[in-house]
Amino acid sequence: MDSKNALGEFLRARRERVRPEDVGLSGGGLRRVPGLRREEVALLAGISSDYYLRLEQGRDRNPSAQVLEALARVLRLDASATAHLLSLAQPERPAASRRRARRPETVPASVRELLDTWSGHPAYVQNRFTDCLAANALCTALSPNYAPGVNLLRAVFLDPAEHELRRDWDELTAEGVATLRGHIGPDVDDPRLVELVGELSVRSDRFRYLWSRHEVRPMLGRTSLLSHPLVGDFELRSNKFEIPGTDALSMVVFHAEPGSRSAELLGLLGSLAAPDGVPREAPHEDTARLDDER
């Protein structure tokens, strides 16, 4: 991950994923790299090949919005990926200044109280790096990794129990990495991100592959396909809500379709869960750390 050339890395990765026939070009002939050639992207975007080369190499980091939008069309980017591309070309701010401007990662007391009232709905709070900051008892019963101090992305990739729990593990991991990129934007030099990406890149081939694709997705709700060791297979829907007044903290709430078999199994899981029912919050200094012994 080259924080000094995030724009160039993104352009190169997305260029290599567009087939010539996707944009009306002949796919014949010997190609040393997959996808489009640099000169083909430049031609279709209406810019010079030399200028596009400078963009990929990081020698020009402030292209106009018109140039970026033209490149987005050629690279077949959706709205989220286009917004990400535009953000990568914004004037850089010192990383230290960005970090000082952040609010403390403290879960508001009212949010923790709200989690406690949802005895029938698993719910947790995470930061933009997917560190879990608070969770209610039913959420922890769903997976012990829903606990303060655990990095959920790390757990999904490295904990075999999570792989067993997630029948949709492939889809979940792809969404998780793409959502992380969307949250981070151009702030790729954040020490917490560098640490997380570095560890997962070394320990997970799947993560390394997904990170290299430079996919970007917004934070959306989804349906999770679970195979729980206590109650068996069921489905839960989830929605994510940003918490105003915090540094990009979000709350994730699960629910089952009313009257469904999944709702029955979720209720059964709730009856089996320990009755402490109190959401826990990680100490401030530990919110970005995962307990390595978990």
Side-chain angles (χ1 to χ4, degrees):
M1 181 172 59
D2 184 2
S3 63
K4 299 184 183 302
N5 190 23
L7 175 63
E9 282 194 350
F10 182 80
L11 289 172
R12 182 171 58 254
R14 299 307 295 253
R15 169 175 63 83
E16 293 176 351
R17 293 174 52 194
V18 180
R19 300 176 302 174
E21 52 268 32
D22 292 337
V23 291
L25 299 177
S26 172
L30 180 63
R31 289 179 175 267
R32 293 184 300 173
V33 296
L36 296 177
R37 299 185 178 102
R38 292 190 181 95
E39 57 268 25
E40 291 171 337
V41 174
L43 175 65
L44 293 169
I47 60 178
S48 72
S49 297
D50 180 67
Y51 181 54
Y52 180 76
L53 178 62
R54 294 202 306 271
L55 291 177
E56 274 205 8
Q57 293 179 340
R59 292 186 286 128
D60 189 320
R61 301 180 186 177
N62 299 109
S64 67
Q66 290 80 4
V67 167
L68 293 174
E69 289 167 357
L71 291 172
R73 288 192 295 272
V74 174
L75 300 178
R76 303 170 65 85
L77 303 184
D78 61 17
S80 297
T82 299
H84 182 73
L85 173 62
L86 291 168
S87 75
L88 294 179
Q90 291 177 354
E92 296 182 2
R93 294 176 294 156
S97 174
R98 290 197 298 270
R99 288 193 288 273
R100 282 197 300 269
R102 292 179 185 161
R103 302 179 180 91
E105 288 187 325
T106 301
V107 181
S110 61
V111 173
R112 288 186 279 116
E113 293 170 359
L114 183 60
L115 294 183
D116 192 21
T117 66
W118 285 334
S119 59
H121 297 281
Y124 68 94
V125 174
Q126 66 176 15
N127 62 11
R128 63 190 185 130
F129 303 109
T130 73
D131 295 313
C132 182
L133 306 182
N136 62 17
L138 185 54
C139 201
T140 304
L142 198 62
S143 167
N145 284 312
Y146 289 122
V150 175
N151 180 269
L152 298 173
L153 192 67
R154 182 185 188 274
V156 164
F157 276 99
L158 302 183
D159 187 345
E162 286 292 328
H163 201 161
E164 292 295 323
L165 175 66
R166 314 286 179 172
R167 288 183 285 137
D168 56 350
W169 187 83
D170 286 344
E171 180 182 351
L172 176 65
T173 52
E175 289 182 3
V177 172
T179 300
L180 177 64
R181 274 203 180 275
H183 276 310
I184 297 305
D187 198 11
V188 294
D189 60 350
D190 188 288
R192 175 59 181 143
L193 179 70
V194 172
E195 176 189 30
L196 180 62
V197 171
E199 179 188 10
L200 290 177
S201 295
V202 169
R203 300 184 62 184
S204 171
D205 293 340
R206 170 72 173 167
F207 176 86
R208 188 165 58 250
Y209 164 73
L210 291 171
W211 189 253
S212 72
R213 288 173 60 82
H214 286 257
E215 283 277 7
V216 179
R217 299 187 194 179
M219 182 177 63
L220 298 174
R222 68 185 311 273
T223 298
S224 297
L225 307 180
L226 305 171
S227 184
H228 198 277
L230 294 181
V231 299
D233 292 357
F234 65 112
E235 300 180 3
L236 289 180
R237 300 173 182 176
S238 65
N239 291 95
K240 295 183 179 182
F241 308 93
E242 292 191 2
I243 303 175
T246 66
D247 182 27
L249 300 189
S250 60
M251 178 169 57
V252 181
V253 184
F254 295 95
H255 71 280
E257 182 181 356
S260 66
R261 176 61 174 165
S262 292
E264 294 178 7
L265 293 176
L266 181 60
L268 175 60
L269 180 62
S271 69
L272 297 174
D276 52 33
V278 178
R280 295 164 291 166
E281 180 180 1
H284 173 62
E285 62 271 20
D286 293 332
T287 55
R289 309 294 299 181
L290 171 70
D291 181 0
D292 289 331
E293 296 181 355
R294 180 168 295 275

